[in-house]
Amino acid sequence: MNPIPLTPRPARRILPVIVLAQLAGTSSWFAVNAVMPDLQREFGWPAAAVASLTSAVQLGFIAGALVFALLAVADRFSARRVFLVCAFASALCTLAAAQSAGSFAALWFWRALTGFCLAGIYPVGMKLAALWFPRGLGAALGLLVAALVLGSASPHALRALSVGAPWVVVFQGVALASAAAGLLLYVLVPEPPHAPVRASGLQLRALWAAAIDPRVRASVLGYFGHMWELYTMWVLVPAILATRLSGAAMSWAAFVVLGAGALGCAVGGVLARRVGSARVAGAQLAISGLCCVAAPLMLQAPTPLFGAWLLLWGITVSGDSPQFSALTAGNAPPALVGSVLTLANSIGFAISIVSIQLFVTLAEHWPLAKVLPWLALGPLLGVMALRPLLKNGTRA
């Protein structure tokens, strides 16, 4: 007997609530990036500070993802409670970061701890969606990644709305959103009706499975190429926009460019049903790579063309994310899906740290027109890795 009656009304609200909670809960990811010009003016930090602080969140997320997987936290405890605790912890870390921003080391620590907390928000939201919608996971996955994209972009919108106010307002707004996300999901989403898989922890043999299976290897390597470009592009968007805009206009533009990835996720999900996830991921990866290559021309182009280029780049640079997750989940051995995804995500985020540090450092010494085309190396290698799956347009 099912202990939770699934009436049409709660079933309709559950996915929107999870998506909204995911959006608000991940808003702390790029809080520092939205106010970086303010921090640099107030504390005299170099431009490279944005790389170190962004990498702190990435590093914390990697550590959190591995710890949560090793201890099977979301299996041993209620996923709703894990989400609630991590959302509140993320809010407290964000407030602590604002209070200690005068010390770069302290800010770095609190941002890394925020990344750790995010490992109990984004993946756990995915798990809840998988438990509630096992047959419609592809569509749910697209919406959840779109929510992550919009959540990451939202601090730029908050900064645009609060121009003239102290930068700390952005941190306070993000902290409030994170706490509200935890409450929203905990109160409005019941315990899933499907019994969770028994806790097994992280299985390192998943690395071997990914290495020897050509289909899993193709999707994982394609994802790595995607991660080389994605977060570095997001970090550099304000610098690109600063060549033409400033103040609120720049913050709004950054929100639009980063948030446009949500459209790529949604449209990509629809197209994947017709042509397959591999072809959608490969096409978006190729287009975003071409946007990297076109940077020298577009940086000098008329404003409408410049804006169209950034918008297309924003749509495609993150629009392939859910398709890579779907491909890896669909091709990995059923007993190792969770471990394969966790390890692939951890390695992918580690790649993003290397890329962010490298390209922000290069941008300090070279013009953006000479730096940005090299981001295309990731998409190029990713598309090449995807070739075994592109032959038949694998559906996930």
Side-chain angles (χ1 to χ4, degrees), residues 315-331:
I315 289 171
T316 55
V317 74
S318 53
D320 48 2
S321 292
Q323 303 312 319
F324 281 118
S325 296
L327 284 168
T328 301
N331 291 320

Side-chain angles (χ1 to χ4, degrees), residues 173-384:
V174 163
L176 181 61
S178 183
L183 282 173
L184 182 73
L185 186 137
Y186 187 76
V187 171
L188 295 181
V189 177
E191 289 295 335
H194 305 285
V197 178
R198 190 155 186 88
S200 58
L202 183 66
Q203 302 182 58
L204 295 180
R205 62 193 178 100
L207 280 174
W208 178 246
I212 63 172
D213 188 312
R215 297 168 70 81
V216 179
R217 185 170 64 242
S219 62
V220 167
L221 291 178
Y223 170 73
F224 291 165
H226 155 78
M227 289 297 284
W228 171 264
E229 178 196 17
L230 174 62
Y231 281 93
T232 303
M233 184 270 191
W234 281 4
V235 169
L236 292 176
V237 160
I240 297 170
L241 291 169
T243 61
R244 304 196 183 205
L245 301 170
S246 62
M250 187 182 78
S251 294
W252 278 123
F255 170 71
V256 170
V257 171
L258 270 63
L263 179 62
C265 293
V267 174
V270 173
L271 292 176
R273 296 173 187 170
R274 300 182 181 181
V275 301
S277 291
R279 287 175 180 159
V280 171
Q284 296 208 54
L285 198 58
I287 293 170
S288 65
L290 290 174
C291 288
C292 301
V293 174
L297 291 175
M298 294 298 103
L299 287 167
Q300 304 299 323
T303 298
L305 188 57
F306 172 82
W309 163 64
L310 273 181
L311 196 61
L312 179 62
W313 198 2
I315 289 171
T316 55
V317 74
S318 53
D320 48 2
S321 292
Q323 303 312 319
F324 281 118
S325 296
L327 284 168
T328 301
N331 291 320
L336 297 175
V337 169
S339 294
V340 170
L341 285 172
T342 298
L343 292 169
N345 286 340
S346 298
I347 296 172
F349 275 90
I351 290 170
S352 77
I353 292 174
V354 174
S355 178
I356 289 167
Q357 295 289 154
L358 174 63
F359 280 89
V360 170
T361 300
L362 289 174
E364 281 191 291
H365 300 93
W366 297 89
L368 287 170
K370 292 186 177 180
V371 172
L372 293 177
W374 292 99
L375 273 176
L377 285 175
L380 173 62
L381 295 176
V383 171
M384 291 176 62

Side-chain angles (χ1 to χ4, degrees), residues 19-244:
V19 169
L20 183 58
Q22 191 88 294
L23 190 159
T26 56
S27 61
S28 60
W29 209 307
F30 272 73
V32 165
N33 302 67
V35 299
M36 201 63 207
D38 303 274
L39 295 177
Q40 288 172 324
R41 282 193 298 269
E42 185 168 339
F43 303 115
W45 294 340
V50 69
S52 297
L53 292 171
T54 304
S55 295
V57 181
Q58 308 295 83
L59 189 62
F61 184 84
I62 294 170
L66 292 174
V67 168
F68 275 64
L70 282 167
L71 301 179
V73 171
D75 291 324
R76 298 177 188 278
F77 305 98
S78 162
R80 294 165 58 244
R81 290 196 180 100
V82 172
F83 192 102
L84 175 66
V85 170
C86 289
F88 270 82
S90 176
L92 291 174
C93 289
T94 301
L95 293 175
Q99 290 297 314
S100 60
S103 166
F104 187 86
L107 181 57
W108 192 98
F109 169 79
W110 287 114
R111 292 304 291 162
L113 204 53
T114 301
F116 189 96
C117 296
L118 285 166
I121 296 174
Y122 176 46
V124 173
M126 293 268 196
K127 178 181 178 64
L128 279 168
L131 291 173
W132 272 105
F133 305 98
R135 294 184 180 179
L137 184 57
L141 197 64
L143 289 173
L144 288 169
V145 177
L148 168 67
V149 172
L150 284 176
S152 300
S154 62
H156 290 286
L158 187 55
R159 188 57 188 140
L161 291 169
S162 62
V163 163
W167 57 264
V168 72
V169 169
V170 173
F171 279 68
Q172 293 168 345
V174 163
L176 181 61
S178 183
L183 282 173
L184 182 73
L185 186 137
Y186 187 76
V187 171
L188 295 181
V189 177
E191 289 295 335
H194 305 285
V197 178
R198 190 155 186 88
S200 58
L202 183 66
Q203 302 182 58
L204 295 180
R205 62 193 178 100
L207 280 174
W208 178 246
I212 63 172
D213 188 312
R215 297 168 70 81
V216 179
R217 185 170 64 242
S219 62
V220 167
L221 291 178
Y223 170 73
F224 291 165
H226 155 78
M227 289 297 284
W228 171 264
E229 178 196 17
L230 174 62
Y231 281 93
T232 303
M233 184 270 191
W234 281 4
V235 169
L236 292 176
V237 160
I240 297 170
L241 291 169
T243 61
R244 304 196 183 205

